[in-house]
Amino acid sequence: MIRACREGFKIAPLYANTAKLAESLFIALKTSTRYDETIYLDIPEVNQAALALAEHYNMKPSFETARMYTKEKPHLPLDKVFGVTSFEIG
C-alpha cells in the first residue's frame, strides 16, 4: 500500500517472498506518484535485501528506531519484510 504523508508518500507494509517480487511491488506503487515526489519506506535493517532495494533507488536514512520487547522477541520472517507496517500502529 502507498499513502500520502504530510510530505510525500509512504509505502507500508511491503511484504514479499523474494527481493525481485518486493522490487516489482515497490515499482508498481511508486508509479502512482509523480517522479519528483518523496517516498518513504521503513525497512528492518536486518533484511539486507530490503536495504539493497532502498539503496538501489537512492533512498537515504532519515531516522532510526529500535524495537524493544518486555519478553522474548517474536519470531518473524524478517527476510520477507521489506517495509514495516507502520511505526504509528506499532
Side-chain angles (χ1 to χ4, degrees):
M1 159 174 204
I2 190 166
R3 64 178 169 88
C5 297
R6 282 182 255 158
E7 176 185 317
F9 293 84
K10 182 173 191 171
I11 294 176
L14 180 57
Y15 304 130
N17 287 329
T18 66
K20 185 174 177 93
L21 180 56
E23 183 175 21
S24 295
L25 292 169
F26 177 84
I27 291 168
L29 293 166
K30 187 177 181 322
T31 60
S32 68
T33 67
R34 293 191 330 253
Y35 75 94
D36 60 342
E37 293 281 4
T38 301
I39 295 178
Y40 299 95
L41 178 65
D42 299 323
I43 65 169
E45 189 177 14
V46 297
N47 183 337
Q48 293 301 306
L51 184 58
L53 173 69
E55 288 174 347
H56 179 76
Y57 288 94
N58 298 314
M59 300 180 89
K60 306 289 181 213
S62 59
F63 69 93
E64 295 183 16
T65 61
R67 289 190 180 265
M68 299 187 304
Y69 306 97
T70 58
K71 297 181 182 179
E72 180 181 317
K73 70 178 183 175
H75 300 284
L76 301 170
L78 293 176
D79 62 322
K80 296 179 178 167
V81 178
F82 289 80
V84 298
T85 302
S86 173
F87 292 120
E88 296 88 350
I89 294 173

